[in-house]
PDB file of all heavy atoms in Angstrom:
ATOM      1  N   GLN A 185      98.044  29.518  77.737  1.00 98.00           N
ATOM      2  CA  GLN A 185      99.040  30.156  76.858  1.00 98.00           C
ATOM      3  C   GLN A 185      98.477  31.434  76.251  1.00 98.00           C
ATOM      4  O   GLN A 185      99.159  32.456  76.180  1.00 98.00           O
ATOM      5  CB  GLN A 185      99.432  29.208  75.732  1.00 98.00           C
ATOM      6  CG  GLN A 185     100.151  27.969  76.199  1.00 98.00           C
ATOM      7  CD  GLN A 185     100.846  27.246  75.033  1.00 98.00           C
ATOM      8  OE1 GLN A 185     101.173  27.839  74.026  1.00 98.00           O
ATOM      9  NE2 GLN A 185     101.084  25.960  75.205  1.00 98.00           N
ATOM     10  N   GLU A 186      97.212  31.381  75.819  1.00 98.00           N
ATOM     11  CA  GLU A 186      96.594  32.576  75.207  1.00 98.00           C
ATOM     12  C   GLU A 186      96.625  33.744  76.182  1.00 98.00           C
ATOM     13  O   GLU A 186      96.909  34.878  75.819  1.00 98.00           O
ATOM     14  CB  GLU A 186      95.138  32.279  74.817  1.00 98.00           C
ATOM     15  CG  GLU A 186      95.007  31.376  73.604  1.00 98.00           C
ATOM     16  CD  GLU A 186      93.614  30.746  73.482  1.00 98.00           C
ATOM     17  OE1 GLU A 186      92.656  31.226  74.148  1.00 98.00           O
ATOM     18  OE2 GLU A 186      93.496  29.768  72.741  1.00 98.00           O
ATOM     19  N   ARG A 187      96.332  33.447  77.439  1.00 98.00           N
ATOM     20  CA  ARG A 187      96.309  34.520  78.442  1.00 98.00           C
ATOM     21  C   ARG A 187      97.704  35.097  78.673  1.00 98.00           C
ATOM     22  O   ARG A 187      97.871  36.297  78.856  1.00 98.00           O
ATOM     23  CB  ARG A 187      95.750  33.998  79.761  1.00 98.00           C
ATOM     24  CG  ARG A 187      94.272  33.730  79.663  1.00 98.00           C
ATOM     25  CD  ARG A 187      93.737  33.247  80.991  1.00 98.00           C
ATOM     26  NE  ARG A 187      92.475  32.570  80.781  1.00 98.00           N
ATOM     27  CZ  ARG A 187      91.895  31.784  81.653  1.00 98.00           C
ATOM     28  NH1 ARG A 187      92.466  31.564  82.818  1.00 98.00           N
ATOM     29  NH2 ARG A 187      90.753  31.219  81.386  1.00 98.00           N
ATOM     30  N   VAL A 188      98.688  34.198  78.662  1.00 98.00           N
ATOM     31  CA  VAL A 188     100.067  34.654  78.865  1.00 98.00           C
ATOM     32  C   VAL A 188     100.500  35.558  77.716  1.00 98.00           C
ATOM     33  O   VAL A 188     101.044  36.641  77.921  1.00 98.00           O
ATOM     34  CB  VAL A 188     101.010  33.429  78.979  1.00 98.00           C
ATOM     35  CG1 VAL A 188     102.442  33.782  78.651  1.00 98.00           C
ATOM     36  CG2 VAL A 188     100.943  32.870  80.386  1.00 98.00           C
ATOM     37  N   PHE A 189     100.233  35.126  76.486  1.00 98.00           N
ATOM     38  CA  PHE A 189     100.702  35.888  75.326  1.00 98.00           C
ATOM     39  C   PHE A 189     100.003  37.241  75.218  1.00 98.00           C
ATOM     40  O   PHE A 189     100.531  38.172  74.622  1.00 98.00           O
ATOM     41  CB  PHE A 189     100.514  35.074  74.031  1.00 98.00           C
ATOM     42  CG  PHE A 189     101.371  33.824  73.996  1.00 98.00           C
ATOM     43  CD1 PHE A 189     100.870  32.613  73.515  1.00 98.00           C
ATOM     44  CD2 PHE A 189     102.676  33.853  74.459  1.00 98.00           C
ATOM     45  CE1 PHE A 189     101.648  31.468  73.499  1.00 98.00           C
ATOM     46  CE2 PHE A 189     103.469  32.709  74.443  1.00 98.00           C
ATOM     47  CZ  PHE A 189     102.959  31.521  73.968  1.00 98.00           C
ATOM     48  N   SER A 190      98.805  37.342  75.811  1.00 98.00           N
ATOM     49  CA  SER A 190      98.107  38.633  75.679  1.00 98.00           C
ATOM     50  C   SER A 190      98.281  39.504  76.930  1.00 98.00           C
ATOM     51  O   SER A 190      97.688  40.562  77.027  1.00 98.00           O
ATOM     52  CB  SER A 190      96.620  38.388  75.400  1.00 98.00           C
ATOM     53  OG  SER A 190      96.064  37.730  76.512  1.00 98.00           O
ATOM     54  N   ASN A 191      99.095  39.038  77.871  1.00 98.00           N
ATOM     55  CA  ASN A 191      99.291  39.839  79.090  1.00 98.00           C
ATOM     56  C   ASN A 191     100.522  40.743  78.947  1.00 98.00           C
ATOM     57  O   ASN A 191     101.640  40.244  78.840  1.00 98.00           O
ATOM     58  CB  ASN A 191      99.444  38.914  80.311  1.00 98.00           C
ATOM     59  CG  ASN A 191      99.367  39.679  81.613  1.00 98.00           C
ATOM     60  OD1 ASN A 191     100.014  40.707  81.771  1.00 98.00           O
ATOM     61  ND2 ASN A 191      98.574  39.188  82.538  1.00 98.00           N
ATOM     62  N   PRO A 192     100.325  42.051  78.962  1.00 98.00           N
ATOM     63  CA  PRO A 192     101.461  42.947  78.726  1.00 98.00           C
ATOM     64  C   PRO A 192     102.513  42.901  79.833  1.00 98.00           C
ATOM     65  O   PRO A 192     103.645  43.342  79.626  1.00 98.00           O
ATOM     66  CB  PRO A 192     100.801  44.336  78.665  1.00 98.00           C
ATOM     67  CG  PRO A 192      99.495  44.186  79.352  1.00 98.00           C
ATOM     68  CD  PRO A 192      99.071  42.766  79.195  1.00 98.00           C
ATOM     69  N   LYS A 193     102.149  42.368  80.995  1.00 98.00           N
ATOM     70  CA  LYS A 193     103.137  42.318  82.095  1.00 98.00           C
ATOM     71  C   LYS A 193     104.037  41.081  82.015  1.00 98.00           C
ATOM     72  O   LYS A 193     104.963  40.936  82.806  1.00 98.00           O
ATOM     73  CB  LYS A 193     102.402  42.300  83.434  1.00 98.00           C
ATOM     74  CG  LYS A 193     101.956  43.682  83.901  1.00 98.00           C
ATOM     75  CD  LYS A 193     101.510  43.567  85.336  1.00 98.00           C
ATOM     76  CE  LYS A 193     101.368  44.888  86.027  1.00 98.00           C
ATOM     77  NZ  LYS A 193     101.001  44.715  87.433  1.00 98.00           N
ATOM     78  N   ILE A 194     103.714  40.152  81.106  1.00 98.00           N
ATOM     79  CA  ILE A 194     104.522  38.920  81.030  1.00 98.00           C
ATOM     80  C   ILE A 194     105.441  38.949  79.806  1.00 98.00           C
ATOM     81  O   ILE A 194     105.008  39.249  78.690  1.00 98.00           O
ATOM     82  CB  ILE A 194     103.618  37.668  80.993  1.00 98.00           C
ATOM     83  CG1 ILE A 194     102.818  37.564  82.294  1.00 98.00           C
ATOM     84  CG2 ILE A 194     104.443  36.405  80.754  1.00 98.00           C
ATOM     85  CD1 ILE A 194     101.937  36.344  82.405  1.00 98.00           C
ATOM     86  N   LYS A 195     106.703  38.637  80.067  1.00 98.00           N
ATOM     87  CA  LYS A 195     107.690  38.546  78.969  1.00 98.00           C
ATOM     88  C   LYS A 195     108.265  37.130  78.995  1.00 98.00           C
ATOM     89  O   LYS A 195     108.625  36.626  80.067  1.00 98.00           O
ATOM     90  CB  LYS A 195     108.845  39.530  79.200  1.00 98.00           C
ATOM     91  CG  LYS A 195     108.408  40.977  79.324  1.00 98.00           C
ATOM     92  CD  LYS A 195     108.626  41.751  78.021  1.00 98.00           C
ATOM     93  CE  LYS A 195     108.181  43.195  78.111  1.00 98.00           C
ATOM     94  NZ  LYS A 195     106.722  43.391  78.013  1.00 98.00           N
ATOM     95  N   LEU A 196     108.340  36.535  77.814  1.00 98.00           N
ATOM     96  CA  LEU A 196     108.880  35.177  77.750  1.00 98.00           C
ATOM     97  C   LEU A 196     110.348  35.179  77.388  1.00 98.00           C
ATOM     98  O   LEU A 196     110.765  35.903  76.493  1.00 98.00           O
ATOM     99  CB  LEU A 196     108.086  34.366  76.731  1.00 98.00           C
ATOM    100  CG  LEU A 196     106.753  33.933  77.367  1.00 98.00           C
ATOM    101  CD1 LEU A 196     105.583  34.234  76.500  1.00 98.00           C
ATOM    102  CD2 LEU A 196     106.815  32.483  77.773  1.00 98.00           C
ATOM    103  N   ILE A 197     111.093  34.400  78.091  1.00 98.00           N
ATOM    104  CA  ILE A 197     112.512  34.223  77.755  1.00 98.00           C
ATOM    105  C   ILE A 197     112.674  32.757  77.366  1.00 98.00           C
ATOM    106  O   ILE A 197     112.613  31.854  78.214  1.00 98.00           O
ATOM    107  CB  ILE A 197     113.421  34.590  78.949  1.00 98.00           C
ATOM    108  CG1 ILE A 197     113.173  36.061  79.336  1.00 98.00           C
ATOM    109  CG2 ILE A 197     114.884  34.353  78.593  1.00 98.00           C
ATOM    110  CD1 ILE A 197     114.011  36.549  80.500  1.00 98.00           C
TER     111      ILE A 197
END
Side-chain angles (χ1 to χ4, degrees):
Q185 295 195 24
E186 287 162 16
R187 289 181 200 164
V188 158
F189 295 139
S190 64
N191 192 313
K193 279 191 166 183
I194 297 183
K195 302 260 179 282
L196 282 130
I197 300 180

